[in-house]
């Protein structure tokens, strides 16, 4: 968002969530703002060690994990946010020539309609593919799960991939899938997005092998025997280098940068780095803190 305040005398760029790097779906985040006094930027991966591997390497490893699971007749479960992340995963799978069924659960199928209806907002390469008749969202490998009965049938359709909300295992149909698949070592749980502190996804990433699952209103502990893999780099958020590059590529250096949308230590670290590199005023505000711009 580029906000013009007071007849354009103060300009605010609100740059989050953002990815300053090319992905399968989108081009890098836009930077050509001709006047910026205040930049508000995310800090999800703003820590000093938050560097992501090359995109091609990430996508290759992601497909390798899926293909290995298919070879052992397993099921890959991908917890995903319904908008953008799920479609990014779909595009990667479709462009790899994958031939097994990929089931979509939750709001993902409905969100796909937005991407199909407005291809002009996607990256240039993806637009080209769609206009040439290669729309990944219309690939017949993708199938919708529309009921509990269909959900239970999928668990017996091996091998396959299930992409389901919610992305951090905080609820939604993905919990039912995890309950059904967790104890089979042939299966794989693949994280494709950030798992916030305190979420079930973060606990699994930390190595929990016994997890609490709330199914049909009852919470019970369940053994996690399936393989767990985190696809570092598939996130729709910029890593530290990309965040700093975003600031450096702006035609006009902002007077101040406000770092938000991140764990407290990461907002502070990013604000410190931006101040050191670009010699501008920076803030890492706490919740409910007010800042007067002018």
């Amino acid at each position: 968002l580029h906000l013009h305040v007071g007849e354009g005398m103060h300009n605010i760029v609100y740059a989050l969530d953002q990815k300053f790097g090319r992905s399968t779906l989108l081009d890098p985040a836009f930077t050509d703002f001709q006047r910026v006094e205040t930049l508000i930027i995310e800090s999800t991966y703003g820590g000093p060690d938050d560097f992501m591997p090359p995109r091609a390497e990430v996508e290759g490893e992601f497909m390798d994990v899926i293909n290995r699971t298919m070879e052992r007749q397993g099921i890959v479960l991908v917890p995903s946010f319904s908008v953008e992340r799920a479609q990014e995963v779909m595009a990667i799978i479709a462009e790899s020539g994958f031939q097994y069924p990929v089931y979509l659960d939750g709001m993902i199928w409905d969100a796909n309609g937005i991407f199909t209806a407005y291809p002009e907002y996607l990256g240039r390469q993806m637009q080209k593919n769609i206009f040439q008749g290669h729309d990944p969202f219309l690939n017949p490998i993708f199938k919708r799960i529309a009921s509990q009965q269909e959900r239970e049938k999928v668990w017996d359709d091996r091998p396959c991939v299930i992409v389901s909300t919610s992305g951090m295992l905080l609820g939604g149909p993905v919990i039912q899938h995890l309950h059904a698949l967790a104890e089979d070592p042939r299966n794989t749980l693949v994280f494709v997005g950030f798992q916030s502190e305190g979420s079930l996804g973060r606990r699994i990433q930390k190595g929990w092998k016994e997890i609490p699952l709330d199914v049909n209103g009852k919470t019970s502990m369940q053994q996690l025997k399936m393989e767990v893999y985190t696809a570092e780099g598939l996130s729709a958020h910029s890593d530290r280098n990309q965040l700093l590059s975003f600031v450096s590529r702006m035609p006009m250096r902002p007077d101040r940068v406000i770092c938000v949308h991140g764990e407290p230590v990461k907002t502070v670290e990013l604000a410190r780095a931006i101040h050191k590199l670009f010699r501008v005023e920076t803030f890492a505000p706490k919740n409910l803190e007010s800042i007067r711009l002018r």
Side-chain angles (χ1 to χ4, degrees):
L1 297 179
H2 192 189
L3 306 177
H4 311 281
V5 182
E7 298 181 353
M9 297 306 293
H10 193 98
N11 293 262
I12 302 171
V13 169
Y14 186 82
L16 63 149
D17 299 354
Q18 60 123 306
K19 181 75 167 179
F20 195 55
R22 194 176 308 280
S23 69
T24 306
L25 277 185
L26 301 171
D27 291 333
F30 182 83
T31 59
D32 194 20
F33 303 101
Q34 295 305 307
R35 181 168 175 177
V36 182
E37 278 72 40
T38 298
L39 169 65
I40 305 174
I41 194 169
E42 66 157 290
S43 317
T44 309
Y45 292 110
D49 300 320
D50 290 337
F51 301 108
M52 296 180 186
R55 185 74 182 194
E57 178 182 319
V58 171
E59 293 183 7
E61 290 184 2
F62 173 67
M63 289 308 306
D64 286 345
V65 169
I66 290 178
N67 289 326
R68 286 201 307 270
T69 307
M70 299 300 101
E71 290 172 2
R72 61 178 184 248
Q73 296 297 301
I75 295 177
V76 173
L77 177 60
V78 183
S80 176
F81 312 115
S82 58
V83 178
E84 192 282 326
R85 193 64 42 78
Q87 290 74 30
E88 184 80 23
V89 168
M90 291 173 65
I92 294 170
I93 293 175
E95 291 193 351
S96 74
F98 193 71
Q99 297 298 314
Y100 297 96
V102 180
Y103 293 97
L104 309 176
D105 206 351
M107 293 295 294
I108 296 171
W109 192 270
D110 297 319
N112 287 348
I114 301 171
F115 289 79
T116 302
Y118 300 100
E120 63 269 25
Y121 290 104
L122 301 177
R124 283 168 289 181
Q125 184 58 50
M126 181 55 66
Q127 287 184 46
K128 182 179 178 181
N129 293 345
I130 291 174
F131 295 146
Q132 290 178 347
H134 303 295
D135 188 335
F137 309 119
L138 301 180
N139 193 307
I141 65 172
F142 298 115
K143 306 177 187 300
R144 183 182 191 180
I145 298 177
S147 67
Q148 179 62 28
Q149 186 177 18
E150 291 180 5
R151 197 168 288 132
E152 293 173 4
K153 287 182 179 179
V154 168
W155 300 333
D156 295 322
D157 187 13
R158 295 175 175 274
C160 71
V161 176
I162 302 172
V163 185
S164 178
T165 55
S166 69
M168 296 186 191
L169 299 178
L170 295 174
V174 72
I175 300 299
Q176 295 185 46
H177 293 298
L178 185 59
H179 175 69
L181 304 174
E183 297 184 355
D184 190 336
R186 294 176 296 173
N187 301 331
T188 305
L189 177 64
V190 177
F191 292 110
V192 294
F194 183 77
Q195 305 297 306
S196 66
E197 191 65 46
S199 67
L200 178 57
R202 176 67 73 91
R203 293 170 183 171
I204 292 175
Q205 284 182 327
K206 288 180 177 180
W208 285 32
K209 295 301 181 184
E210 189 175 21
I211 55 175
L213 292 180
D214 186 350
V215 179
N216 299 324
K218 296 182 179 180
T219 301
S220 60
M221 300 301 293
Q222 187 163 357
Q223 295 296 315
L224 185 69
K225 299 180 181 179
M226 62 196 305
E227 180 183 350
V228 176
Y229 173 76
T230 299
E232 299 286 358
L234 281 188
S235 175
H237 297 283
S238 296
D239 69 3
R240 183 183 175 91
N241 277 343
Q242 291 169 339
L243 291 168
L244 296 175
S245 295
F246 179 88
V247 178
S248 70
R249 289 290 297 275
M250 301 183 80
M252 177 182 179
R253 191 64 47 80
D255 296 332
R256 70 190 55 76
V257 178
I258 302 174
C259 299
V260 299
H261 195 285
E263 295 171 2
V265 66
K266 296 193 177 185
T267 61
V268 171
E269 290 286 354
L270 183 62
R272 182 181 293 121
I274 290 174
H275 175 73
K276 182 178 180 180
L277 287 172
F278 305 112
R279 295 301 175 186
V280 297
E281 187 177 27
T282 58
F283 297 92
K286 297 182 175 66
N287 287 342
L288 303 181
E289 183 178 352
S290 298
I291 297 174
R292 181 176 293 278
L293 299 180
R294 275 290 180 264

